[in-house]
């Protein structure tokens, strides 16, 4: 009975852990969309909401870490269970980073509301990038809960689209900057925003790798298609 | 005797873990300097060396993680020891990220060698920023090994200087871009490089927080001085 008890308890812990991951993930998913919409519509209230949500995400991450440490101490999980706990630490860190990037996008909305630049085209591209990453994040969280390696692999491959959009945007923004010096400041901000969205995609891809590893026991073997640009791809 | 044996084994594990942290840290420290020097001197061989070193750093991080998982599984450390193992996961991740940023700086040296921009002033500022971060990293690794919370706190405070240099550089580069459109492409790269160096400082600060937490049991309470710039500070 003792054994069954311990096993059951770990399952209960796991259910709680997964609930926290999903809660964090859900908030971050929403923040990505809200940040993009707040930029395009200069919606300062929505931007403020994204900034506030990030505090909540940080606090859930802290609680989740505490929970994971307690599980390690009390249950001393082995093999697969131990791998899972270690993976969740990383997934939580990735989610926290994505939340940070969304917050940083939201912070720049304030600047855009003040300077009112004429960059709506590029802003819409950024919104599309954000929605792509948001869908990737939704799918990777589904893959995590459903132990669906195929879906995680699909997310992993999709990051290439985000990278390509980022490359296109990078070139477009450089052109605007060269055309008119008044474009330089707003385009700079958009370049940093675009880079942040591209990084959100990278962190989503990292989560996908954790899911693939948890389900199959191996890292993705296929070489991920990478856009060929020393110009814009670096971190 | 059994108890003493287990304790001794954990200490031996810990010695190995610390050695791996120091090895990773040492390579990353050197890479920061090499990357900066390769930029200022257009030294492609040195840049290539930084890129190669990053692969080594990644591989040590992987081995270190394996080691940490084995220690969790076999020793089932409790309390302080468990906190330490969890902290080392984070420290390793921070070091890996700093290494990535150094690699990305080195990759851009290739571009600079091709376009030969006239941006030596700003490049020298970046080199100074890099040397500042390198010293912070050296000190925080010493603080980790020596369990020196005061030194870690000092590193944690010093990040403000890096942020201030980043702010100044950001403004300088924007000015150059506005003066002459031919400056836009190289200055863009320098802006991304500067941002990367600023992020290196942030990750070094994170390591300092881990050290303070390990030694004192609490996160730093004092509010860290932060430069006041929505303009350039965001991730």
């Amino acid at each position: 009975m003792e054994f069954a008890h311990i096993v059951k308890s770990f399952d209960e812990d796991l259910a709680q852990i997964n609930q926290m991951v999903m809660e964090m993930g859900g908030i971050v998913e929403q923040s990505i969309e809200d940040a993009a919409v707040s930029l395009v519509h200069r919606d300062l209230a929505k931007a403020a909401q994204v900034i506030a949500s990030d505090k909540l995400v940080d606090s859930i991450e802290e609680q989740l870490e505490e929970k994971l440490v307690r599980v390690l101490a009390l249950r001393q999980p082995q093999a697969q269970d131990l791998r899972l706990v270690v993976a969740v630490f990383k997934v939580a860190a990735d989610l926290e980073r994505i939340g940070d990037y969304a917050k940083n996008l939201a912070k720049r909305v304030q600047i855009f509301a003040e300077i009112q630049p004429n960059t709506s085209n590029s802003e819409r591209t950024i919104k599309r990038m954000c929605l792509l990453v948001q869908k990737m994040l939704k799918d990777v969280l589904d893959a995590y809960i459903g132990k669906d390696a195929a879906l995680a692999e699909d997310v992993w491959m999709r990051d290439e689209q985000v990278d390509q959009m980022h490359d296109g945007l990078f070139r477009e923004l450089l052109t605007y900057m060269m055309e008119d010096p008044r474009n330089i400041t707003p385009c700079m901000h958009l370049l940093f925003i675009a880079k942040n969205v591209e990084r959100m995609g990278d962190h989503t891809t990292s989560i996908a790798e954790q899911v693939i590893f948890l389900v199959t026991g191996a890292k993705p073997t296929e070489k991920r298609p990478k856009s060929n640009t020393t110009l814009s791809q670096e971190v």
Side-chain angles (χ1 to χ4, degrees), chain A:
Chain A
M1 284 308 291
E2 180 62 16
F3 180 70
H5 173 71
I6 290 176
V7 170
K8 184 157 180 291
S9 295
F10 183 77
D11 285 348
E12 279 166 11
D13 282 332
L14 189 57
Q16 268 185 40
I17 288 168
N18 283 347
Q19 204 184 337
M20 288 167 100
V21 170
M22 287 299 123
E23 193 186 346
M24 247 184 113
I27 298 170
V28 172
E29 241 185 86
Q30 190 60 48
S31 285
I32 298 173
E33 181 179 336
D34 287 349
V37 170
S38 73
L39 174 68
V40 171
H41 297 292
R42 310 278 186 263
D43 185 338
L44 292 177
K46 209 183 260 296
Q49 204 177 305
V50 172
I51 294 164
S53 290
D54 187 54
K55 281 212 186 7
L56 183 57
V57 168
D58 289 354
S59 131
I60 300 173
E61 195 209 3
E62 223 165 279
Q63 291 164 42
L64 180 52
E65 281 199 355
E66 280 306 314
K67 174 80 190 166
L68 292 168
V69 170
R70 273 203 309 280
V71 167
L72 284 174
L74 299 176
R75 310 266 171 246
Q76 301 166 349
Q78 293 290 316
Q80 276 296 91
D81 292 343
L82 177 56
R83 292 273 166 193
L84 177 68
V85 172
V86 171
V88 174
F89 270 110
K90 295 188 179 191
V91 169
D94 282 318
L95 287 174
E96 191 269 331
R97 295 295 299 145
I98 299 172
D100 264 0
Y101 289 125
K103 178 189 72 180
N104 291 327
L105 201 171
K107 278 192 180 176
R108 290 189 201 260
V109 171
Q110 174 90 52
I111 303 170
F112 274 74
E114 277 167 18
I115 61 181
Q116 292 291 355
N118 183 17
T119 48
S120 54
N121 242 342
S122 310
E123 291 167 35
R124 278 196 298 271
T125 306
I126 284 174
K127 188 180 159 197
R128 281 199 303 278
M129 273 175 83
C130 281
L131 295 181
L132 216 62
V133 172
Q134 185 198 30
K135 183 66 168 66
M136 283 167 64
L137 183 59
K138 186 194 170 304
D139 287 350
V140 86
L141 291 168
D142 286 348
Y144 169 80
I145 286 295
K147 299 190 171 60
D148 186 341
L151 181 57
E153 192 115 8
D154 183 57
V155 169
W156 190 69
M157 298 296 284
R158 261 186 273 161
D159 192 41
E160 195 194 3
Q161 292 172 43
V162 179
D163 288 350
Q164 281 169 352
M165 288 177 84
H166 177 250
D167 284 356
L169 194 58
F170 186 91
R171 285 169 218 286
E172 182 183 300
L173 289 168
L174 273 191
T175 313
Y176 291 156
M177 288 163 97
M178 289 185 193
E179 273 170 15
D180 184 345
R182 283 168 301 181
N183 291 334
I184 289 176
T185 299
C187 286
M188 266 304 313
H189 287 291
L190 290 174
L191 278 166
F192 277 116
I193 288 174
K195 179 49 106 185
N196 284 358
V197 180
E198 193 244 339
R199 298 286 302 137
M200 287 182 199
D202 289 347
H203 283 281
T204 307
T205 307
S206 292
I207 299 176
E209 283 176 12
Q210 293 298 323
V211 174
I212 294 166
F213 180 64
L214 283 174
V215 179
T216 68
K219 295 269 166 74
T221 47
E222 218 172 324
K223 202 150 169 55
R224 195 159 68 96
K226 259 281 179 192
S227 307
N228 170 35
T229 48
T230 330
L231 202 65
S232 65
Q233 279 309 328
E234 275 82 53
V235 180

